[in-house]
Amino acid sequence: MPLAEKLSKILVVLPNNLGDVIMATPVMEGLAKKYKEAHVMFFCEQGFESGMENNPFCSQLITFPRKAIRDCLEKDWQKGRELCSLCVNDIAGYGWDTVINLSQQVHVSLIVPLLKGKSLVGMHFLPEGNHSINDSWSQYLYAIPFARSCNNLHATDVFRRIAGVKSHRGGYSISLVDGEKTWARKFLADRGVAPGKKIMVFQPGAAFPSKRWPVDYFVKLGSMLSRDGWQILVTGSPVERSLASAIASEIGPAAVSVAGATTFRQSMALVSLSLGCVTGDSAQMHASAGFDVPTYALFGPTNPVETGPYGNGHLVLSGRCGSMPCFKTDCGSLECMKSILPEDVYTCISGGRAPSSCSCNVYKTVLSKNGDYSIVPIRPNAHRYFHEGAVCIVRNIFDDRWNCVPGSSDYAHSVVETGTWLEIVSDMCNALVRYEKIRDPKHVATFEVLKKSLGSLTSVGAFCTALLNLRLNSIPMLSPLDAVSQSIEVCWQIHKQVGKAIS
Amino acid sequence: MVEKGGIGAVSDESAESLQQAFEKVKEKIGVRQLTDDDILVLACAEIARSYSREEKGYT
């Protein structure tokens, strides 16, 4: 359902992580520009404010002390509940016109209804005892993990659509104040980095071990760059201090580690002064892209289509592995990250182009006129993270036509699978209609068997099944007969919507 | 329970632990509408076992 024309208090909820908060900045900018009179505020967890601080489009940052509540609950659950209640009541006291929940965390979906927005967008818990996702783009967001090959949208672009922000100037909306830039210059001078020196930031750490590029690869690249006069600045969080120090000391005098010596905000200020950033899929990658610093993003288990460096002209190098993107947090072989060789990254940096032959995939990021991000392969035979035909059908389901070629090789296959899906769902609808008429439980059993059979579908079929399940699960179950009627309605609705997409 | 107004104003004193309070709320699901206080208990139960992947020390 589109948001009302006039809103005065809007709360965007995305509690963590650091990178996700940065990815939500275009939503804030879009809402602030769309609802000029409104107060657009941002809800995040304490400790994750960095990406939204000093943001001109965020009228207020509201922080939630999840960790403090968790620790309190552990010691004395009644006190913990009281603390949680106080915090939630405080936030509800603003009197929200709408609360937009971009988070996929269960505890957030339970807090959202307690914030008492007049309208709720995104997943929220119902008093009837189930989770509900009513808006179509939030359903899209939740369906992505079930069939990633059907999605070609960046998380930011899905967030924008959830919030009703149709177009965007492109790029993240992050900014620094003068004091932060001055601090960064002084910090570098204190460490012997002369003004005017060309700085390359290395961000070796990432949330998961599987997303990290090997230490010796960073060292080799750093050594090559230092010979060209680059000053290497190795950034990271306090827990990445030893990792960063090891890399800096191996490279030699041309490298300095600042990991653990800065806040994330300060680390952002440092990257803003650099001429490049080599990073895995990390918060620093988003910060670097946000400042239009040429970003060399090294991707392994995650998907650069969904969470790549949002901006124009950044380079994404992704490793080759049979199961990519696997989203594993840990990996014994690190095959994908190891296939991105330092020599190839060096060629990209020094020549501003992809090497003529290399062992990994290389893509350039592009923002279209409406702000939508995409990655364009600049090496032949690059891994395709999505299937054009499947994307074409899925985007049509959401009335969000993508400029695709229906004749593409996988389109015919996707149409056939969609047809199979439609037949099964039609039979499911009929089974429920029969149950509604004669109340024979065997028809419900038939419905369940058919529903289970949808599980064998892949690609578009899997995506549509996820959408169907999300909608069915959103139906309140307190009155079973009402739930059956609503289920029939939901099944026919989605059947019509999907059918239209291939007609 | 007596409604005193506001989320969490009603405290289920009979529950000795968060787990016990959580189980009591779960028994209501599918039977009757939950109150805000019930939902708060569910939220607390989730928060108690929550962990963000970036709990790694940025100050």
Side-chain angles (χ1 to χ4, degrees), chain A residues 73 79 91 124 134 182 190 302-303 339 355 360 458 465 488 491:
Chain A
L73 283 164
K79 278 191 181 158
I91 303 169
H124 57 278
N134 294 323
T182 309
D190 290 348
T302 51
N303 187 343
S339 69
C360 61
T458 56
T465 301
I488 294 169
C491 285

Side-chain angles (χ1 to χ4, degrees), chain A residues 19 40 43 51 86 136 176 186 247 290 319 406 464 474 487:
Chain A
V40 185
F43 171 110
L86 273 173
S136 59
L176 297 166
K186 185 175 180 309
I247 291 169
C464 294
S474 296
S487 298

Side-chain angles (χ1 to χ4, degrees), chain A residues 17 66 85 116 127 240, chain B residues 7 34 36 50 54-56:
Chain A
N17 292 286
R66 179 190 56 84
S85 164
K116 302 295 171 194
E240 290 154 5
Chain B
I7 305 156
L34 303 185
D36 283 350
S50 65
E54 287 188 24
E55 284 183 23
K56 60 180 190 178

Side-chain angles (χ1 to χ4, degrees), chain A residues 28-262:
Chain A
M28 302 302 286
E29 180 175 345
L31 286 170
K33 286 180 174 171
K34 187 173 175 183
Y35 302 101
K36 290 189 172 59
E37 306 297 319
H39 295 282
V40 185
M41 304 188 207
F42 191 77
F43 171 110
C44 70
E45 257 178 45
Q46 274 175 6
F48 295 93
E49 307 92 329
S50 313
M52 199 59 77
E53 275 171 15
N54 300 329
N55 189 309
F57 305 105
C58 175
S59 17
Q60 195 177 329
L61 255 172
I62 295 175
T63 56
F64 184 72
R66 179 190 56 84
K67 282 183 228 168
I69 294 170
R70 182 188 62 192
D71 295 348
C72 194
L73 283 164
E74 207 171 285
K75 288 180 197 137
D76 181 337
W77 82 273
Q78 292 280 17
K79 278 191 181 158
R81 181 168 71 166
E82 254 171 57
L83 177 61
C84 187
S85 164
L86 273 173
C87 296
V88 167
N89 280 333
D90 260 6
I91 303 169
Y94 282 82
W96 305 105
D97 286 311
T98 189
V99 175
I100 302 170
N101 178 18
L102 302 176
S103 162
Q104 294 179 276
Q105 290 171 306
V106 177
H107 76 269
V108 180
S109 69
L110 289 157
I111 287 169
V112 162
L114 305 177
L115 301 180
K116 302 295 171 194
K118 286 176 197 150
S119 76
L120 298 178
V121 178
M123 184 161 82
H124 57 278
F125 196 74
L126 298 174
E128 286 83 357
N130 58 308
H131 286 92
S132 172
I133 310 172
N134 294 323
D135 60 294
S136 59
W137 282 106
S138 293
Q139 290 164 2
Y140 182 99
L141 181 71
Y142 275 82
I144 292 172
F146 293 91
R148 293 193 183 272
S149 63
C150 297
N151 170 53
N152 71 337
L153 286 173
H154 192 277
T156 292
D157 295 326
V158 182
F159 291 163
R160 284 199 294 112
R161 283 164 169 80
I162 291 172
V165 175
K166 283 184 185 158
S167 63
H168 182 54
R169 62 165 180 83
Y172 293 130
S173 317
I174 53 173
S175 46
L176 297 166
V177 292
D178 286 345
E180 290 175 303
K181 288 178 199 164
T182 309
W183 173 90
R185 285 189 198 99
K186 185 175 180 309
F187 182 86
L188 290 176
D190 290 348
R191 275 153 185 81
V193 180
K197 187 94 178 165
K198 52 181 189 177
I199 298 167
M200 179 65 68
V201 167
F202 280 6
Q203 170 62 40
F208 308 138
S210 58
K211 293 204 285 185
R212 294 177 196 152
W213 205 38
V215 168
D216 52 328
Y217 284 29
F218 269 111
V219 171
K220 193 165 186 186
L221 175 64
S223 301
M224 287 190 275
L225 290 172
S226 66
R227 285 195 286 273
D228 292 347
W230 286 90
Q231 170 73 53
I232 312 295
L233 202 62
V234 191
T235 57
S237 70
V239 295
E240 290 154 5
R241 197 190 300 259
S242 60
L243 171 73
S245 298
I247 291 169
S249 65
E250 281 288 320
I251 295 171
V256 57
S257 167
V258 298
T262 65

Side-chain angles (χ1 to χ4, degrees), chain A residues 148-453:
Chain A
R148 293 193 183 272
S149 63
C150 297
N151 170 53
N152 71 337
L153 286 173
H154 192 277
T156 292
D157 295 326
V158 182
F159 291 163
R160 284 199 294 112
R161 283 164 169 80
I162 291 172
V165 175
K166 283 184 185 158
S167 63
H168 182 54
R169 62 165 180 83
Y172 293 130
S173 317
I174 53 173
S175 46
L176 297 166
V177 292
D178 286 345
E180 290 175 303
K181 288 178 199 164
T182 309
W183 173 90
R185 285 189 198 99
K186 185 175 180 309
F187 182 86
L188 290 176
D190 290 348
R191 275 153 185 81
V193 180
K197 187 94 178 165
K198 52 181 189 177
I199 298 167
M200 179 65 68
V201 167
F202 280 6
Q203 170 62 40
F208 308 138
S210 58
K211 293 204 285 185
R212 294 177 196 152
W213 205 38
V215 168
D216 52 328
Y217 284 29
F218 269 111
V219 171
K220 193 165 186 186
L221 175 64
S223 301
M224 287 190 275
L225 290 172
S226 66
R227 285 195 286 273
D228 292 347
W230 286 90
Q231 170 73 53
I232 312 295
L233 202 62
V234 191
T235 57
S237 70
V239 295
E240 290 154 5
R241 197 190 300 259
S242 60
L243 171 73
S245 298
I247 291 169
S249 65
E250 281 288 320
I251 295 171
V256 57
S257 167
V258 298
T262 65
T263 63
F264 182 64
R265 193 82 203 155
Q266 290 167 334
S267 175
M268 284 169 67
L270 291 171
V271 82
S272 78
L273 298 180
S274 72
L275 292 182
C277 177
V278 179
T279 169
D281 177 11
S282 68
Q284 186 71 304
M285 176 195 76
H286 295 294
S288 169
F291 292 120
D292 283 334
V293 169
T295 304
Y296 306 92
L298 316 177
F299 270 75
T302 51
N303 187 343
V305 169
E306 295 170 23
T307 56
Y310 193 73
N312 256 321
H314 303 296
L315 289 183
V316 172
L317 293 92
S318 84
R320 289 189 190 273
C321 168
S323 54
M324 61 186 285
C326 66
F327 284 87
K328 282 183 188 162
T329 53
D330 226 327
C331 170
S333 75
L334 285 177
E335 190 183 332
C336 56
M337 293 308 277
K338 283 181 181 169
S339 69
I340 307 170
L341 299 178
E343 293 82 357
D344 294 334
V345 183
Y346 174 76
T347 307
C348 288
I349 295 170
S350 57
R353 59 180 168 77
S356 54
S357 70
C358 70
S359 55
C360 61
N361 307 292
V362 187
Y363 311 83
K364 195 169 225 169
T365 65
V366 176
L367 286 179
S368 65
K369 274 185 184 167
N370 74 344
D372 275 352
Y373 158 103
S374 61
I375 56 169
V376 178
I378 54 173
R379 293 272 312 128
N381 306 320
H383 176 74
R384 305 293 300 184
Y385 282 91
F386 56 86
H387 298 144
E388 289 198 15
V391 166
C392 197
I393 293 171
V394 166
R395 294 282 291 271
N396 278 346
I397 294 171
F398 287 80
D399 247 347
D400 189 58
R401 286 173 190 275
W402 180 55
N403 189 20
C404 62
V405 186
S408 67
S409 58
D410 65 305
Y411 184 77
H413 169 77
S414 298
V415 169
V416 170
E417 196 182 65
T418 309
T420 308
W421 185 91
L422 285 166
E423 275 174 33
I424 297 172
V425 173
S426 170
D427 291 344
M428 285 168 65
C429 294
N430 290 328
L432 283 187
V433 169
R434 281 194 285 275
Y435 173 76
E436 206 179 32
K437 275 184 189 158
I438 55 172
R439 306 280 162 83
D440 184 341
K442 78 175 181 193
H443 297 303
V444 176
T446 304
F447 172 85
E448 290 299 337
V449 169
L450 289 164
K451 190 163 164 255
K452 204 172 171 188
S453 73

